[in-house]
Amino acid sequence: MRILSTQHRARASRRGVALIYAVFGTVVVASMVSVMFTMAGVSDKQSDVRRGRARASYVAEGALRTVVKDLQTSLAAWQSPPTTGVKTVAGVNVDYSVVALGPQVQSTDPSGVVVLIQPYEVETAVQLDGVSERAHRIVNATWTPLFQFAVFYNDDLEIHAGPDMTLRGRIHSNAAMYLGGGSTITLDTNYVRAVTGIYRKIKLTGNNASGQVDIRKWVANPFGSDPAEFYRMWSQSELQSELSASVSTGYDSDFAGYDYDGNHSFLDPGDWLPFDLGASNKWGPPDLYTGGVGQTVMTSAHGVREAVTPTIESLKMVDNDGNPGYYYDNAGLSIIVDTTGRIFTAYDALGNDVTAAVAPAVTIGLVADMRQSDSAAVPIPTVDVDMQALASTGHFPANGLLYAAHEAMGDGTAARGVTLTNGAELQGALTVASPSPVYVHGDYNTVDKKGAAVIGDAVNLLSNSWTGMKRPGMLPAATETTYNFAMVTGSYQTTPNAPGEPGSGRYNGGLENLPRFHENWTGVPCNISGSFVNLADSQFATGDWTYGGDRYTAPIRNWQYDPLFNSLDDLPPFTPMAVEARDVVSW
């Protein structure tokens, strides 16, 4: 047997201890690696959960925004919003609910607009990748009568009048506003708002506009005795003169500010704030005014949002879903022309056939509309309603809604019209609605004025002297005529010229030609008191706007908002509403 020395035994012991440490170290390292991998796995899972929760949250919030927009659309179309349902966002199904909270209330906003307010709670819920998320929002659905605006456009609003033009009353565009021309445009109001922006340029050409635009500084009641102080929205040339410096825009939404001393502050003497900030100073209250605080000129930069309005479907006899259109379904009297264009049938509010009774007030006729047809051999077929005769039949609509239409009209077909005659005195407040272009012949609602409106694919104004004897190359003379009604009418959107191709675009004539003319109105007053509303492109009266020749010449435009409409009780029956959804709280 071999006996180890003490030295050898010590070395062996040290090697054993080293081996034990090595094994222990390996175990520790292995454990640490295992823990690291485990922690990494946990971290990855936590990251996955966070990403999943974020994605689910985005989907729930996106669905909520869609539901709120649908809520506005339903209310604008006078429909009860669905209380529950499912929305699909990014391929994911999201449950939602809509609950009305409390009663509807009436209020008056700082600009004097009377509104109706109904609170709603909207909730969405989604399960995505094992994660559940909800989004909540309480909104105040706010109905604003469209006829409480002097001018309301769903799309771009252009005002480029030749002669001077003064507008009193609220002016709103759900898109952009283009101002300026060869004259002075005076906006005597405390409300000039456009969601996209306000521009001192011409949409058709892209050029900066000339002329002058004067806008009233904010006061609580522009219809009363509050001070009338105006501030100019400078054109490019006016602004250059004012600043004694070269600028590429007028004082509008494109104006990025003027830094006189170059220190990037815009707050020093000689500086001008960018339009979005400066508008509150330029069109705030007059100096020393004590009647309140507000701002006349506003865009989305100041919190202006789209107001959702009724769709064109509401004018149809039957909408795309096969349901009766709103106005047809609610009419106190309907006059419907059959597909031959020669026979009409009239129905009362209960659906009873009253054709024989109203026959003395209704005829089938024609109108020479050179904008729609250059040939006198192809006049526009119409159904003509004598308003004075209608009152004597005993079937003037008791609820104030008259609906007239042609069964032969469909998308893409030729226009067929409705003519209103002898309407100087109406038996009662009245709204006439039609999917057709409407022609208003002679003084309308001038005796014992009442709340009145005309809603159509286009609204055409024929003077007191109109006889229908218009032919190609001929332009009959107009005489002074007065129209007291609000109008909802179509047009089309201006298409700008292609770059480098002048004349390639298509101009719609601007607000000044929203009501259509067919006579020589040069030097002749056309008096309108009411409201001008453009919600959609015309579906049937689609002829191009053309000035002069045998089309028309412009009148002296004595146009104004009717302050009668400031009261809900005096609005025309079945006034269309714009609906906003104003956030109260989200969580």
Side-chain angles (χ1 to χ4, degrees), residues 296-356:
T296 298
V297 178
M298 298 176 69
T299 68
S300 58
H302 310 103
V304 177
R305 295 184 179 182
E306 176 190 6
V308 177
T309 58
T311 67
I312 198 69
E313 295 293 302
S314 63
L315 279 178
K316 293 182 177 181
M317 290 179 62
V318 180
D319 65 22
N320 289 340
D321 295 325
N323 301 313
Y326 175 78
Y327 286 103
Y328 174 61
D329 196 36
N330 287 278
L333 177 66
S334 300
I335 300 172
I336 310 299
V337 181
D338 71 358
T339 55
T340 70
R342 297 188 293 271
I343 301 173
F344 73 89
T345 307
Y347 303 93
D348 66 13
L350 299 177
N352 299 313
D353 188 329
V354 293
T355 306

Side-chain angles (χ1 to χ4, degrees), residues 100-363:
L101 304 176
Q104 187 182 87
V105 297
Q106 179 177 316
S107 181
T108 302
D109 78 2
S111 296
V113 178
V114 179
V115 297
L116 301 173
I117 301 173
Q118 172 68 65
Y120 285 90
E121 180 181 356
V122 183
E123 179 181 2
T124 57
V126 63
Q127 286 191 336
L128 181 61
D129 298 333
V131 176
S132 297
E133 280 293 326
R134 293 178 180 270
H136 298 77
R137 185 176 299 174
I138 292 178
V139 298
N140 279 338
T142 305
W143 288 263
T144 304
L146 287 178
F147 296 152
Q148 288 202 339
F149 295 89
V151 180
F152 186 100
Y153 268 57
N154 246 348
D155 292 305
D156 292 342
L157 167 61
E158 302 169 69
I159 308 178
H160 301 307
D164 290 352
M165 188 174 189
T166 297
L167 286 172
R168 296 193 70 200
R170 306 167 192 94
I171 302 168
H172 179 97
S173 169
N174 269 341
M177 191 179 301
Y178 297 85
L179 302 174
S183 60
T184 296
I185 298 170
T186 303
L187 305 183
D188 186 359
T189 177
N190 65 359
Y191 187 116
V192 178
R193 300 183 185 176
V195 175
T196 305
I198 301 175
Y199 303 98
R200 286 287 276 116
K201 63 174 60 174
I202 298 170
K203 180 181 178 182
L204 177 69
T205 63
N207 297 333
N208 286 288
S210 57
Q212 298 176 349
V213 176
D214 294 328
I215 303 176
R216 188 171 179 173
K217 294 177 75 69
W218 190 91
V219 291
N221 183 13
F223 302 102
S225 58
D226 280 350
E229 183 177 325
F230 293 80
Y231 189 84
R232 180 154 298 168
M233 182 174 282
W234 304 103
S235 67
Q236 180 191 22
S237 60
E238 289 173 326
L239 188 57
Q240 286 184 159
S241 176
E242 183 72 12
L243 297 178
S244 299
S246 178
V247 292
S248 60
T249 73
Y251 189 69
D252 60 16
S253 291
D254 281 339
F255 182 67
Y258 177 68
D259 186 7
Y260 176 76
D261 52 13
N263 68 352
H264 307 294
S265 76
F266 297 115
L267 297 175
D268 301 314
D271 289 353
W272 280 49
L273 287 169
F275 178 83
D276 291 345
L277 297 174
S280 59
N281 294 327
K282 308 298 186 186
W283 291 288
D287 291 341
L288 306 180
Y289 179 69
T290 58
V293 177
Q295 179 179 336
T296 298
V297 178
M298 298 176 69
T299 68
S300 58
H302 310 103
V304 177
R305 295 184 179 182
E306 176 190 6
V308 177
T309 58
T311 67
I312 198 69
E313 295 293 302
S314 63
L315 279 178
K316 293 182 177 181
M317 290 179 62
V318 180
D319 65 22
N320 289 340
D321 295 325
N323 301 313
Y326 175 78
Y327 286 103
Y328 174 61
D329 196 36
N330 287 278
L333 177 66
S334 300
I335 300 172
I336 310 299
V337 181
D338 71 358
T339 55
T340 70
R342 297 188 293 271
I343 301 173
F344 73 89
T345 307
Y347 303 93
D348 66 13
L350 299 177
N352 299 313
D353 188 329
V354 293
T355 306
V358 304
V362 182
T363 57

Side-chain angles (χ1 to χ4, degrees), residues 65-75 81-82 87 96:
R65 287 195 294 268
T66 302
V67 173
V68 170
K69 182 63 177 288
D70 288 349
L71 170 67
Q72 293 176 260
T73 302
S74 295
L75 296 176
K87 283 289 179 186
Y96 72 86

Side-chain angles (χ1 to χ4, degrees), residues 68 120 166 168 200 210 220 260 269 350 360 402 415 432 434 442 455 503 522 533 539 545 557 561:
V68 170
Y120 285 90
T166 297
R168 296 193 70 200
R200 286 287 276 116
S210 57
Y260 176 76
L350 299 177
L402 169 62
V432 179
S434 177
I455 304 175
T522 301
V533 178
Q539 304 296 298
W545 170 81
R557 297 181 177 94
Y561 170 72

